[in-house]
Amino acid sequence: MRFTLFLRKMVLTASLSAAALAQTEHVNPWSPVNVAPLPPIASLSDGVWLKGDLHLHSRHSKDSSNNSEAKIIGFAESVGMDYLAITDHDNHVQGDVAHNTWTDPEFKSNSVLLLYGAEWTTTRGHGNAFSARPYDHQRLYDVRDQRDIVIGAVKKELGIHLSANHPSGKDHFGFSYDMVDSIEVWNSAVWSKNANAIMIWDDMLSSGRKLTGRGGSDSHHGTPDTPEQATKNTYQRQANYVGTPTTWVYAKERTLQAVVDALTNGRVAVSANPYAPRVEFYADLDQDGKMDMMMGDNAKATGKAATFRIQLTGNTVQGAQYTLHVVKDGNPFKTLQATGGKTTIAEFTDTPQALGRTYYRVEVEGPPTAYPQVPGSTALNGNMVGLSNPLYFNFDPNF
Ligand SMILES: [Zn+2]
Ligand SMILES: [Zn+2]
């Protein structure tokens, strides 16, 4: 009996020390390493800024009112939009958006690029699909309740851009973020309700996911043709419609594919409306006075200081103060001021760590820009002017 106890004790001691030994020999295979040479950064000048709305509902969504595609597209043309994604609820047509939203005779424009897409409306939440060409959306609808690994494979086969919608709150995106290319960080004119979406975005970025932040008005209701056609939701038309907010993409050219590519790559900014200033964010890596990268780009950190430039392009208010909040790796980093004028620019320097990831992004507050076609939206935006996507350092492109 005693001997058995003794033996047990010996075994226990031996296994403990083996475990301790294993622990000291442990090497985390995921710890930061020098990233392999990264793909070269695309041209900062050979492209075009295009503005649009990536979340809209037409009459093919049963919860919309007075919102034909002609009404949406006509309005978008009148305020100078470059692209639109009409994203009707796919469950309202049992997945067959192809024979509803896309084959509607009104789905056409001479000046606005119309993406093929839909709002993937599932038990576990909502996401938007975007594509430069028609794709078999029915397949995505059919797998909506399957495991994420099945859905991810279908998404990949279809070659679409998938985006997480209104990620916090009702109908939040309840799937893995590993299968999406972007996240809706600004849903509708009501900026204040997006705080949790921004928090989720920062969590995804901080954990190494290079995920584009985008906007979407999620507007459902148009102007009635006659007073009798008004619904209980018609009031929304004056406060939330096409362009509240507006998503800017720096596209290689004015084509549908270039819009989707820019969205995937992250050369994207979101503004309160189409007339509000656009936030551009650049870095000069060798401090030679010439900018080397813009938001969405991923560079290898040199271990030396870089100069960062925040630029507001468009209708800034002459002489007004703009507050630029810089977020670094999910935490408030710096608050800068810039005065509105011909050039509204602020710069700072910092040294991204040589080993491991760093990201910087910017949110801008200041005087609201009037949007006469959607007059109630400015009050809902508050002082929020716009936001940039991150500048990335040492992000693993094969993550
Ligand atoms: Zn939704
Ligand atoms: Zn929606």
Side-chain angles (χ1 to χ4, degrees):
M1 192 67 182
R2 271 173 165 257
F3 183 70
T4 322
L5 259 178
F6 174 72
L7 258 184
R8 259 196 210 158
K9 209 173 166 187
M10 278 210 21
V11 170
L12 205 64
T13 315
S15 59
L16 265 179
S17 56
L21 207 63
Q23 192 63 41
T24 56
E25 282 171 0
H26 171 75
V27 176
N28 178 1
W30 304 105
S31 53
V33 290
N34 258 316
V35 284
L38 295 170
I41 287 165
S43 166
L44 300 188
S45 56
D46 186 17
V48 55
W49 282 107
L50 301 176
K51 58 181 183 292
D53 192 333
L54 289 160
H55 193 161
L56 297 157
H57 293 272
S58 79
R59 68 178 180 88
H60 299 285
S61 295
K62 290 187 175 132
D63 53 355
S64 84
S65 67
N66 298 301
N67 220 19
S68 65
E69 294 191 35
K71 222 170 250 184
I72 296 168
I73 294 166
F75 179 92
E77 289 169 349
S78 75
V79 297
M81 287 297 188
D82 298 295
Y83 72 88
L84 279 187
I86 297 177
T87 51
D88 283 310
H89 292 293
D90 62 357
N91 62 329
H92 293 181
V93 293
Q94 288 73 52
D96 192 11
V97 287
H99 291 99
N100 288 278
T101 306
W102 306 345
T103 49
D104 189 320
E106 296 177 359
F107 188 72
K108 59 171 197 278
S109 173
N110 290 328
S111 59
V112 180
L113 296 165
L114 299 174
L115 290 165
Y116 294 89
E119 183 161 17
W120 189 46
T121 309
T122 83
T123 316
R124 287 183 288 159
H126 298 181
N128 273 355
F130 304 123
S131 174
R133 62 191 69 80
Y135 63 95
D136 191 353
H137 187 88
Q138 189 74 55
R139 288 188 60 203
L140 188 66
Y141 179 73
D142 290 347
V143 293
R144 66 197 181 282
D145 288 335
Q146 299 306 311
R147 289 180 183 272
D148 289 2
I149 194 147
V150 175
I151 299 165
V154 168
K155 178 251 171 186
K156 204 172 170 184
E157 260 181 63
L158 295 174
I160 54 172
H161 177 115
L162 190 61
S163 191
N165 286 0
H166 36 71
S168 151
K170 194 174 168 284
D171 300 322
H172 73 276
F173 187 79
F175 298 86
S176 169
Y177 278 78
D178 291 350
M179 63 188 196
V180 298
D181 308 289
S182 64
I183 173 173
E184 189 173 68
V185 294
W186 190 341
N187 174 280
S188 89
V190 191
W191 163 249
S192 58
K193 75 172 186 189
N194 291 283
N196 287 336
I198 294 286
M199 182 188 72
I200 293 167
W201 189 29
D202 275 320
D203 286 349
M204 294 303 153
L205 295 168
S206 300
S207 57
R209 286 151 178 84
K210 192 174 175 292
L211 194 62
T212 303
R214 63 151 182 96
S217 70
D218 207 355
S219 55
H220 284 68
H221 307 283
T223 308
D225 296 321
T226 63
E228 294 73 43
Q229 288 173 355
T231 68
K232 66 176 177 20
N233 289 315
T234 295
Y235 76 94
Q236 291 186 23
R237 163 63 185 82
Q238 296 305 310
N240 189 54
Y241 203 53
V242 179
T244 60
T246 292
T247 301
W248 292 88
V249 300
Y250 191 66
K252 275 198 183 120
E253 53 188 17
R254 187 180 285 271
T255 62
L256 286 166
Q257 191 58 55
V259 171
V260 176
D261 290 346
L263 199 58
T264 303
N265 296 335
R267 286 182 158 190
V268 172
V270 190
S271 300
N273 66 55
Y275 307 135
R278 176 177 70 239
V279 185
E280 295 175 26
F281 191 27
Y282 299 95
D284 172 5
L285 302 176
D286 48 8
Q287 295 198 306
D288 65 351
K290 196 178 138 284
M291 293 297 142
D292 302 303
M293 66 189 291
M294 76 156 89
M295 50 197 171
D297 294 340
N298 180 29
K300 200 167 165 136
T302 58
K304 295 197 186 93
T307 302
F308 295 81
R309 177 183 292 173
I310 303 158
Q311 182 177 320
L312 297 186
T313 303
N315 303 314
T316 55
V317 180
Q318 184 78 33
Q321 282 302 299
Y322 289 85
T323 307
L324 322 171
H325 301 279
V326 181
V327 173
K328 178 183 177 183
D329 297 334
N331 300 307
F333 177 58
K334 256 180 208 309
T335 301
L336 306 166
Q337 299 291 327
T339 308
K342 240 189 180 143
T343 52
T344 307
I345 286 177
E347 291 190 344
F348 66 93
T349 58
D350 194 44
T351 308
Q353 57 180 345
L355 192 66
R357 299 180 302 265
T358 308
Y359 76 85
Y360 305 82
R361 60 175 193 83
V362 182
E363 290 177 18
V364 177
E365 290 179 306
T369 306
Y371 189 12
Q373 295 88 339
V374 192
S377 63
T378 32
L380 299 179
N381 296 149
N383 291 326
M384 185 59 181
V385 172
L387 56 84
S388 78
N389 262 265
L391 289 163
Y392 299 93
F393 293 91
N394 295 349
F395 272 61
D396 180 358
N398 301 313
F399 184 91

